[in-house]
């Protein structure tokens, strides 16, 4: 039996990368929330990646601003223990290397208010092929769910319309 310590979360977290970095392949990008603007769907991962604005700026510098172009491209993500959230040093996800860039690149990113730091991104070569695509969620699966935990697990793979359907199904289950 393989032991895992996965959090109850719909997103990839820095703690998921404590043991090693991970190469991910983007399968789609959709609007996120006000706090985290984008949900990036990944092959072989049911959770989404919600990069902070500094990482989004790196991706923009490398690949441009059309999310459709990002699909099929890969990134090596790692946990940077020096990332701060407010006064706390919490650690965060950073990009070590990217596919579809011609050469190593340096991008000036904001480290803290008023202070910028150069972030170096290497060329990602020999990208392993994903073993599967992110599973497509169907309305029938939402309708067949019998617990709110099951529905919670579907949330990150759901389209905005399906998320409304999930909310309605949660309400139905609450009435029964």
């Amino acid at each position: 039996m393989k032991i895992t310590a996965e959090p109850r979360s719909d997103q990839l977290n820095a703690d998921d990368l404590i043991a090693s970095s991970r190469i991910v392949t983007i399968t789609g990008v959709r609007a996120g929330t006000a706090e985290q603007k984008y949900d990036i769907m990944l092959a072989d991962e049911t959770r989404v990646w919600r990069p902070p604005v500094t990482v989004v700026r790196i991706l923009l510098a490398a690949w441009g601003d059309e999310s459709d172009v990002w699909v099929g491209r890969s990134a090596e993500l790692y946990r940077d223990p020096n990332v701060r959230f407010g006064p706390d040093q919490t650690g965060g996800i950073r990009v070590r290397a990217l596919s579809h860039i011609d050469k190593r690149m340096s991008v000036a990113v904001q480290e803290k208010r008023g202070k910028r730091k150069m972030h170096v991104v290497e060329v990602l070569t020999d990208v392993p092929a994903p073993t599967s695509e992110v599973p497509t969620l169907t309305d029938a699966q939402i309708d067949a769910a019998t617990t709110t935990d099951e529905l919670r697990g579907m949330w990150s793979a759901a389209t905005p319309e399906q998320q409304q359907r999930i909310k309605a199904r949660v309400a139905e289950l609450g009435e029964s």
Side-chain angles (χ1 to χ4, degrees), residues 8 10 19 23 32 41 75 90 104 107 112 125 135 140 151 165-166:
R8 292 187 71 184
D10 66 343
I23 296 174
M41 284 79 70
T90 59
R104 171 191 234 200
V107 181
K112 58 184 175 181
T125 57
L151 291 163
R165 191 179 192 104
I166 288 171

Side-chain angles (χ1 to χ4, degrees), residues 52-62 105 107-110 116:
V53 71
T54 53
V55 174
V56 170
R57 288 181 178 142
I58 292 168
L59 298 175
L60 287 168
M105 60 185 282
V107 181
V109 296
Q110 186 169 330
R116 298 182 77 69

Side-chain angles (χ1 to χ4, degrees), residues 128-175:
T131 57
S132 67
E133 292 295 315
V134 172
T136 303
L137 181 63
T138 65
D139 291 343
Q141 289 172 306
I142 296 169
D143 296 340
T146 58
T147 67
T148 55
D149 281 344
E150 197 176 350
L151 291 163
R152 187 176 295 116
M154 295 177 184
W155 186 263
S156 66
T159 65
E161 295 80 20
Q162 288 174 323
Q163 288 178 347
Q164 293 304 314
R165 191 179 192 104
I166 288 171
K167 286 180 183 178
R169 183 69 180 130
V170 166
E172 285 175 19
L173 290 173
E175 293 172 5

Side-chain angles (χ1 to χ4, degrees), residues 23-113:
I23 296 174
V24 298
T25 300
I26 297 172
T27 60
V29 180
R30 66 179 179 218
T33 64
E35 293 84 27
Q36 293 174 296
K37 262 180 108 161
Y38 303 102
D39 287 351
I40 299 179
M41 284 79 70
L42 306 170
D44 299 330
E45 179 64 61
T46 57
R47 296 173 295 159
V48 297
W49 173 34
R50 294 186 177 123
V53 71
T54 53
V55 174
V56 170
R57 288 181 178 142
I58 292 168
L59 298 175
L60 287 168
W63 295 336
D65 63 0
E66 286 297 326
S67 63
D68 291 346
V69 173
W70 296 12
V71 174
R73 295 188 175 191
S74 298
E76 181 180 1
L77 306 180
Y78 71 98
R79 181 182 189 279
D80 180 350
N82 299 315
V83 170
R84 301 185 80 79
F85 186 75
D88 302 321
Q89 191 167 325
T90 59
I93 297 175
R94 293 289 185 247
V95 174
R96 178 172 289 136
L98 294 171
S99 69
H100 296 81
I101 59 174
D102 297 330
K103 61 182 181 177
R104 171 191 234 200
M105 60 185 282
S106 295
V107 181
V109 296
Q110 186 169 330
E111 185 176 43
K112 58 184 175 181
R113 194 172 305 236

